[in-house]
Amino acid sequence: MSVDIKTLAKNLNLSISTISRALRDSYEISDKTKLRVKEMAAKLNYQPNPYASSLRKHKSKTIAVVIPEITNNFFALAINGIEYVAQEKEYHVLIYLTHENIKKEIGFASHLQNGRIDGMLMSISAETNNYDHLIELKKKEVPLVFFDRICEAIESSSITTDDFEGGFNATEHLIQRGCKKIAYLDLSRYLSNSNKRMQGYIAALVKHNISIDERLIMRFTNNIAANEEQIVRVLSGAEKPDGVFASVEKLAIATYNVCQRLNINIPKQLKIISFSNLEISSLLNPSLTTITQPAFEIGKQAALQLFRYLEKKNMMNVHEKIILKSTLIPRGSTAI
Amino acid sequence: MSVDIKTLAKNLNLSISTISRALRDSYEISDKTKLRVKEMAAKLNYQPNPYASSLRKHKSKTIAVVIPEITNNFFALAINGIEYVAQEKEYHVLIYLTHENIKKEIGFASHLQNGRIDGMLMSISAETNNYDHLIELKKKEVPLVFFDRICEAIESSSITTDDFEGGFNATEHLIQRGCKKIAYLDLSRYLSNSNKRMQGYIAALVKHNISIDERLIMRFTNNIAANEEQIVRVLSGAEKPDGVFASVEKLAIATYNVCQRLNINIPKQLKIISFSNLEISSLLNPSLTTITQPAFEIGKQAALQLFRYLEKKNMMNVHEKIILKSTLIPRGSTAI
DNA sequence: TAAATTTACGAAAACGTTTTCGCAAATAAA
DNA sequence: TTTATTTGCGAAAACGTTTTCGTAAATTTA
C-alpha cells in the first residue's frame, strides 16, 4: 500500500503525532527528530493524503473558477492570471463552465457550498438575472470574488475594467471618425459590464448631440448563426448604421462575417470597434480597432483578492472594488 | 454549524449508517425510510462533505488536466470538451498549466500522485524529453490519457489527430500551389505530434522530388519576440522560402506579423499554411489556409477514455489509440 | 537545592463519511 | 408449527490526517 504517516512512525519508532508535527515544522519537535522524519519521508516518497488533511483542517487548498466560457480570449487570459497566482500559493484550480446558462451557474453555486473549495472566482452568466444562489453562497461564507461580470446586488470584492469609460471612448472614437448612426451590440441586458459600456455609449451620444435610437441597441444570444442573421437584417435594412460598437469580441467577428457576406466595406461603409482580447486584431482584414482589457491582470488581481480573504479571517468584510484601465487601440476598422 | 449526517440521524432518530445508506439508495433501507431521510436532507439543505467521502472511498471525483497553455484555441476547445464530459459524469476538473516548462510538469505529476485526482489528462510540454515523472505516475496507477502531444514511451491511451497525413497534405498543398522552398516551423524537436507532422512534410517533399533542406526545418521557443526575429532572418535571407508550413498557430501568426513588417506579400511572395483552430482564420488578411483539428472532440474523447479507465477496473490495461481526422481548409494565404 | 518552567514527545479524540459485522423482526419455506 | 431466509437497521471500525491534552525529562529560576 501507499506509505502514510503511520508507516513513517513505525519506521522511526515515533508516534504519528510526532511525525505530523515534524513534517509541519512544529516548534514542539527537536531539530534532530525533524531531520530524521523528513529524511525518512523523502526516502519512502511519502505523499500526504490531501483529503484526510482537508477533512481535519476544513481547508481544501482549492479554489473554483466559474465562468461562462473558455473559448474566449478574455477568459482564457484571465484563467492564466488566476492559475499563475494559484501556483504561487500552492492552490488548486477547479474550472466550471456555465455556457451562459443560469441553471448551470445555480448548480455550481449550490454544489460548491460543501467545503470542496475554499473560495470562488466568478464571472456571471449572461442569463443571470436572479442572485439567490449567490446570496446563499455568501450566507455559507464561501469567499467570493467577481471579475469582469460582477453582481452588484452582492457585497463582495470585484475586479473590473473601466467599462463606462471604455464604452464612452469607443463611441466617441466612432463619432470622431464620422459615424452618425452607431449601433451597440450586446450580449445581455443583465450584465453589469455590458450595461456600463452602454451607459458610456449613451453618454457619448448625448455629449455629441446624437439622439438615441433604441433600435440600434441590440441584444444577441449565444447562438452564432442566429446572431449573424440578426446582424444581416440591421445591415441590410433602411435604417442601417454606419458604425458598430460591439460589447464583446464575438459580436464584432459576427459583424465581420456578415460584412464579408453582404460585401459591405469596412471601414468605408461601416466602422467597427469592439471590446476584444484578440491578439491578432491587427492581422484582420481590415485590422480591428479594439478596446482591450488587461485580462491576465484582471484574473491575477481577482485571485490575489481572493487570497486576501483566505489568508486573513477578519478580511471577510473588507471588500475591494478594483477597476483596471482598458486601452483603445485604433486600427483599420475605424479608419477614415 | 453545518448540517451533517449526524444531524440528520438525530432529527430522524436513526443511526448514521442508515442515513448514509438511505442517501445512497442502498437496498438495505426501506422505501419509507429513504423518503423520510431524503426529505429531511432536502429540508435541512444537507451537503455531504466531499473530503470525508473521498477519504473513505479513495475516490475524489476529480480529474486533472495538465496542458502547456490555455491561451491557445486548441487547448481552450479541448478543455471545453473535457469539461463537457466531466459535467455529465459529475466530476470536477482541475487545471494545471506547465507553460511548456518541464519542471512544472514534473512538479504536477509528482504532487498529483497523492490521491487528489482519480485520473489525469495530459498534453506534454515542448521541453519534455525525459519521461521519468510519467513513468512514476503510471507506477502509482494513476489513470492517464494523453491527447495531442502524447508520450510514446508510456503505455497508455491517447487521442491524437492524423498528424502525419495533416503534415503531408499541408506540404503537398503548398507544392501544388507552386512552392519550391517550403519551411517547416516547429515548436520543439521532442513533441510527438510535431514530429509526425514533420514526417508528413518530408514524405511530401520526397514524393515530389524536392530535396530536404535542413535549414528550412526550424525550431522556435515560447518567446514571441525571439521567434519573430528568427523569422525575420529567414525571410530576409538569401535562401528565403516561398512557402511556410507552421506546425502551430502561433508560428503562423508570427509569420504574418513579420510579413506585415517586412512588407512581404502573402500569398504572392510567400504562401502560408498552418495547423490552427483559429475560428477567424477566414477574416485574416489574407485569410489563412489551415489544417484544423477537431479540438473539442479530442478533449471529449480523451475524457471519455479516461472515464472508461475509471469506471471499469479491468480496463486499466486496455489502451486505445484514437486518431481523429484533421481538415485542410484552403484559403487566401495559399492562393495562386 | 527546591520549585517553576520549558522541551519533546505520545495517547487519543476528532474531522464526516462509508462499510463491515451483527442481529432482531418479519417473512418464506419445510 | 418449526426452521430458514430475508429485510431493515444499529454499533463500531476505518479512511489518514491534525490537534488537544497530558506528562516525563531537561532546564531555568528562586
Side-chain angles (χ1 to χ4, degrees):
Chain A
M1 261 323 281
S2 144
V3 33
D4 60 4
I5 247 181
K6 216 176 293 176
T7 318
L8 296 182
K10 265 180 201 147
N11 272 285
L12 293 165
N13 262 324
L14 289 169
S15 76
I16 61 168
S17 3
T18 301
I19 306 292
S20 175
R21 281 187 276 239
L23 292 171
R24 323 191 78 247
D25 260 331
S26 162
Y27 68 97
E28 292 181 289
I29 305 297
S30 73
D31 290 347
K32 302 159 214 157
T33 309
K34 280 183 190 172
L35 203 66
R36 286 212 307 141
V37 171
K38 286 175 182 175
E39 277 178 348
M40 182 61 75
K43 183 179 156 200
L44 302 188
N45 189 26
Y46 165 70
Q47 310 268 19
N49 181 310
Y51 295 134
S53 173
S54 292
L55 175 60
R56 183 57 231 241
K57 298 206 296 182
H58 300 283
K59 280 284 158 215
S60 62
K61 297 215 107 194
T62 306
I63 60 174
V65 179
V66 179
I67 53 173
E69 47 177 350
I70 197 168
T71 51
N72 170 311
N73 296 294
F74 174 79
F75 287 115
L77 280 162
I79 290 178
N80 214 354
I82 292 165
E83 208 262 356
Y84 177 83
V85 176
Q87 274 196 35
E88 290 217 318
K89 304 279 185 182
E90 298 193 303
Y91 258 66
H92 302 263
V93 180
L94 287 166
I95 296 279
Y96 300 89
L97 306 178
T98 65
H99 297 286
E100 309 283 15
N101 181 333
I102 185 175
K103 283 188 186 161
K104 291 203 170 179
E105 190 176 289
I106 292 173
F108 296 142
S110 103
H111 280 99
L112 291 171
Q113 295 172 10
N114 56 12
R116 187 180 292 277
I117 56 165
D118 293 346
M120 183 185 288
L121 296 170
M122 187 169 201
S123 214
I124 67 179
S125 99
E127 280 182 4
T128 302
N129 58 348
N130 175 296
Y131 307 113
D132 291 349
H133 55 301
L134 305 177
I135 293 170
E136 210 192 339
L137 254 186
K138 269 274 134 184
K139 260 195 210 138
K140 294 267 178 161
E141 302 197 319
V142 177
L144 181 57
V145 174
F146 295 103
F147 67 100
D148 197 44
R149 301 164 165 205
I150 73 174
C151 173
E152 289 171 326
I154 308 259
E155 281 263 322
S156 195
S157 286
S158 64
I159 320 291
T160 54
T161 332
D162 53 346
D163 289 300
F164 178 90
E165 289 78 3
F168 183 91
N169 293 338
T171 311
E172 193 164 52
H173 178 79
L174 288 175
I175 295 171
Q176 285 164 348
R177 300 298 168 107
C179 294
K180 306 287 184 198
K181 299 183 60 168
I182 300 171
Y184 175 63
L185 312 192
D186 195 5
L187 259 191
S188 154
R189 67 184 71 252
Y190 305 125
L191 290 176
S192 59
N193 55 356
S194 290
N195 281 324
K196 294 230 176 79
R197 290 168 194 179
M198 188 182 68
Q199 295 305 327
Y201 160 82
I202 290 174
L205 294 183
V206 167
K207 176 183 171 193
H208 291 273
N209 289 314
I210 300 177
S211 63
I212 285 120
D213 183 344
E214 289 289 345
R215 291 166 304 178
L216 289 176
I217 298 180
M218 305 177 61
R219 318 284 182 186
F220 294 82
T221 68
N222 220 1
N223 178 330
I224 296 176
N227 290 351
E228 294 199 359
E229 287 322 305
Q230 203 178 336
I231 295 174
V232 164
R233 283 197 295 279
V234 211
L235 293 188
S236 50
E239 295 288 308
K240 59 179 162 239
D242 56 6
V244 159
F245 168 28
S247 171
V248 294
E249 189 174 293
K250 70 166 121 179
L251 293 176
I253 291 169
T255 308
Y256 263 61
N257 281 328
V258 168
C259 287
Q260 206 169 55
R261 273 166 61 190
L262 298 186
N263 236 350
I264 296 175
N265 182 289
I266 312 171
K268 275 190 193 159
Q269 295 169 267
L270 184 70
K271 300 196 197 309
I272 303 182
I273 189 170
S274 175
F275 268 84
S276 166
N277 280 86
L278 207 54
E279 77 268 56
I280 54 160
S281 303
S282 61
L283 297 178
L284 291 183
N285 183 20
S287 60
L288 173 65
T289 298
T290 58
I291 309 106
T292 297
Q293 298 173 270
F296 180 90
E297 190 66 22
I298 289 175
K300 191 174 153 188
Q301 290 298 329
L304 286 173
Q305 176 59 24
L306 183 57
F307 282 107
R308 255 170 249 136
Y309 283 152
L310 299 183
E311 284 160 5
K312 296 169 202 163
K313 294 148 205 179
N314 49 354
M315 286 292 292
M316 276 302 290
N317 289 315
V318 185
H319 302 307
E320 282 206 60
K321 307 275 178 193
I322 300 175
I323 300 176
L324 301 177
K325 285 215 166 174
S326 56
T327 322
L328 195 158
I329 304 169
R331 295 202 187 85
S333 66
T334 56
I336 299 179
Chain B
M1 263 321 283
S2 145
V3 34
D4 60 4
I5 249 183
K6 217 177 291 176
T7 319
L8 295 183
K10 265 181 201 148
N11 272 285
L12 293 165
N13 262 324
L14 288 169
S15 75
I16 61 167
S17 4
T18 301
I19 305 292
S20 175
R21 282 187 276 238
L23 292 172
R24 323 192 76 248
D25 260 332
S26 161
Y27 68 98
E28 291 180 288
I29 306 297
S30 73
D31 290 347
K32 302 159 216 160
T33 308
K34 280 183 189 172
L35 203 67
R36 287 211 307 143
V37 171
K38 287 176 183 175
E39 277 177 348
M40 182 61 77
K43 184 179 155 199
L44 301 188
N45 189 26
Y46 165 70
Q47 309 268 21
N49 181 310
Y51 296 134
S53 173
S54 290
L55 175 59
R56 184 57 230 243
K57 297 206 295 182
H58 299 283
K59 279 283 157 215
S60 63
K61 297 214 107 193
T62 305
I63 60 174
V65 180
V66 178
I67 53 173
E69 48 177 351
I70 198 168
T71 51
N72 171 310
N73 296 293
F74 174 80
F75 288 114
L77 281 163
I79 290 177
N80 214 353
I82 292 165
E83 208 262 355
Y84 177 83
V85 175
Q87 274 196 35
E88 290 217 319
K89 305 279 185 182
E90 300 193 301
Y91 257 67
H92 303 263
V93 181
L94 288 166
I95 297 279
Y96 300 90
L97 306 179
T98 65
H99 297 286
E100 308 284 14
N101 182 332
I102 185 174
K103 282 188 187 161
K104 290 204 170 177
E105 190 176 288
I106 292 173
F108 296 142
S110 102
H111 280 100
L112 290 171
Q113 295 172 10
N114 57 12
R116 186 180 290 278
I117 57 165
D118 293 346
M120 182 185 288
L121 296 170
M122 187 170 204
S123 215
I124 67 179
S125 98
E127 280 183 2
T128 303
N129 58 348
N130 174 296
Y131 307 113
D132 291 349
H133 55 302
L134 305 177
I135 292 170
E136 209 192 340
L137 253 187
K138 270 274 133 184
K139 260 194 211 140
K140 293 267 178 163
E141 301 197 320
V142 177
L144 180 56
V145 175
F146 294 104
F147 67 99
D148 197 43
R149 302 163 166 207
I150 72 173
C151 173
E152 290 171 325
I154 308 261
E155 282 262 321
S156 195
S157 287
S158 64
I159 321 290
T160 54
T161 330
D162 53 346
D163 290 301
F164 178 89
E165 288 78 3
F168 183 90
N169 293 337
T171 311
E172 193 163 53
H173 177 80
L174 287 175
I175 295 170
Q176 286 164 349
R177 299 299 168 106
C179 294
K180 306 285 183 199
K181 298 183 62 170
I182 300 171
Y184 174 64
L185 312 192
D186 195 5
L187 260 190
S188 154
R189 68 183 72 253
Y190 306 124
L191 291 176
S192 60
N193 56 356
S194 290
N195 281 324
K196 295 232 176 79
R197 289 168 195 178
M198 187 182 67
Q199 295 306 325
Y201 159 82
I202 290 173
L205 293 183
V206 168
K207 176 183 168 191
H208 291 274
N209 289 314
I210 300 177
S211 62
I212 285 121
D213 183 346
E214 289 289 345
R215 291 165 305 177
L216 289 177
I217 298 180
M218 305 177 61
R219 318 284 181 185
F220 294 82
T221 68
N222 221 1
N223 179 329
I224 296 177
N227 290 350
E228 295 198 1
E229 287 322 306
Q230 203 177 335
I231 295 175
V232 164
R233 283 197 294 279
V234 210
L235 292 188
S236 50
E239 294 288 308
K240 60 180 161 239
D242 55 5
V244 159
F245 167 29
S247 170
V248 294
E249 190 174 292
K250 71 165 120 182
L251 294 176
I253 290 168
T255 308
Y256 263 62
N257 281 328
V258 169
C259 287
Q260 206 169 56
R261 272 167 61 191
L262 300 186
N263 236 350
I264 296 174
N265 182 289
I266 313 171
K268 275 189 193 159
Q269 296 169 266
L270 184 70
K271 300 196 198 309
I272 303 181
I273 189 170
S274 175
F275 267 83
S276 166
N277 280 87
L278 208 54
E279 78 269 56
I280 53 160
S281 304
S282 61
L283 297 178
L284 291 183
N285 183 19
S287 60
L288 174 64
T289 297
T290 57
I291 307 106
T292 298
Q293 297 173 270
F296 180 91
E297 190 66 22
I298 289 175
K300 192 174 153 188
Q301 290 299 328
L304 286 173
Q305 176 58 25
L306 182 56
F307 281 107
R308 255 171 249 136
Y309 283 151
L310 299 183
E311 283 160 6
K312 295 168 202 164
K313 295 148 203 177
N314 50 353
M315 287 291 292
M316 275 302 290
N317 290 313
V318 185
H319 303 307
E320 282 205 60
K321 306 275 178 195
I322 299 175
I323 300 176
L324 302 178
K325 285 214 166 172
S326 56
T327 322
L328 195 160
I329 304 169
R331 295 202 186 84
S333 66
T334 57
I336 300 177

